Amino acid sequence: MTTIQRRGLMIGAAGLVAGFALPRRPALAQAPSGPFSLPPLPYAPNANEAAIDAMTMEIHHARHHGAQVAGLNAAVQGQPQLAAMQLDDLLMRLSQVPEAIRTAVRNNGGGHANHSMFWEIMGGPGGEPAGDLKAAIDRDLGGMEKFRTDFNAAGLRVFGSGWVFVTVTPAGALAITTKPGQDTPLMDGNRVLMGNDVWEHAYYLRYQNRRADYLASWWNVLNWEKIAARYAAARDGTLRV
């Protein structure tokens, strides 16, 4: 082997090693221009370390949620009536979406709505709610201890990927429900008070297959002031996603 060949081989190997060694930051999915956008995290990625590590937050937000926004914008391209709709209205009228794009709107639009809610209700110190929300939990869900137990049990029963939610009616009544994939109660005409993502990408880096541990820890980062504001908005008729 000549000196030039050896030198080229060494440079190539060094470049390969460097490529593996350099950390890569999560990148936003490149969405076609469209009406839907990825909301920024309302706190630093490490704000939920009591339950979710910063890297999971960054990947989950930028890559998973970002890809869903991209997919939704792609699906409604050339559909001005759909593009002009609010996200919740679009999902509540899913049966009216053309069949050719209905699955894409269902999966990506549902994911966009679910994750937009998910980021909003975290970043807090955990604890318990107060006021009207606490009274509703006591009345409809049997108090906080029973609520946490039943909510976590419902999340464990989700087979594969999905979500566990609390729905809220205009009268303020609460109920626990689950949905597969990126489906949302909005598709049934129900508003969402709060919910937890039990897809593995939401917790796998820290918890691996221990979904129960993730569900138990998640309560430590809830922002009950934000959830109470959602409860008030639902009763006022102004809650969207």
Side-chain angles (χ1 to χ4, degrees), residues 24-29 58-68:
R24 295 182 178 181
R25 305 295 293 176
L28 292 177
E58 290 185 82
I59 293 172
H60 195 172
H61 175 258
R63 296 186 185 176
H64 291 280
H65 190 180
Q68 289 157 0

Side-chain angles (χ1 to χ4, degrees), residues 26-30 38-39 55-72 107-113 115-116 118-119 161 163 182 197 199-205:
L28 292 177
Q30 295 301 307
L38 179 68
M55 181 57 74
T56 293
M57 288 294 300
E58 290 185 82
I59 293 172
H60 195 172
H61 175 258
R63 296 186 185 176
H64 291 280
H65 190 180
Q68 289 157 0
V69 174
L72 181 58
N107 292 338
N108 293 293
H112 183 25
H115 286 99
S116 296
F118 188 57
W119 314 131
S161 302
W163 290 73
Q182 291 295 349
D197 186 348
W199 283 65
E200 283 191 341
H201 64 241
Y203 60 86
Y204 200 81
L205 290 183

Side-chain angles (χ1 to χ4, degrees), residues 74-223:
V76 300
Q77 277 192 319
Q79 301 282 341
Q81 289 184 325
L82 300 182
M85 294 175 72
Q86 293 284 340
L87 179 58
D88 57 332
D89 290 335
L90 178 61
L91 295 170
M92 287 179 168
R93 293 165 173 78
L94 194 61
S95 64
Q96 300 173 24
V97 173
E99 186 175 358
I101 62 170
R102 192 177 302 153
T103 296
V105 170
R106 179 180 197 132
N107 292 338
N108 293 293
H112 183 25
N114 289 340
H115 286 99
S116 296
M117 171 276 301
F118 188 57
W119 314 131
E120 179 186 345
I121 65 171
M122 296 191 294
E128 296 191 1
D132 290 344
L133 178 55
K134 181 181 186 303
I137 290 171
D138 290 344
R139 180 191 68 226
D140 299 331
L141 303 177
M144 278 301 297
E145 183 175 354
K146 185 175 188 302
F147 169 36
R148 278 193 293 260
T149 298
D150 291 348
F151 186 93
N152 290 350
L156 280 175
R157 288 195 298 269
V158 174
F159 182 77
S161 302
W163 290 73
V164 52
F165 297 100
V166 176
T167 58
V168 56
T169 70
L174 305 180
I176 297 171
T177 190
T178 60
K179 290 290 180 182
Q182 291 295 349
D183 282 3
T184 164
L186 291 168
M187 295 170 184
D188 303 322
N190 298 315
R191 296 290 172 182
V192 175
L193 175 67
M194 58 185 287
N196 194 1
D197 186 348
V198 295
W199 283 65
E200 283 191 341
H201 64 241
Y203 60 86
Y204 200 81
L205 290 183
R206 177 177 292 183
Y207 300 95
Q208 291 80 53
N209 66 326
R210 302 189 311 276
R211 183 188 289 182
D213 292 348
Y214 161 68
L215 285 162
S217 296
W218 181 70
W219 298 88
N220 295 322
V221 297
L222 290 183
N223 186 329

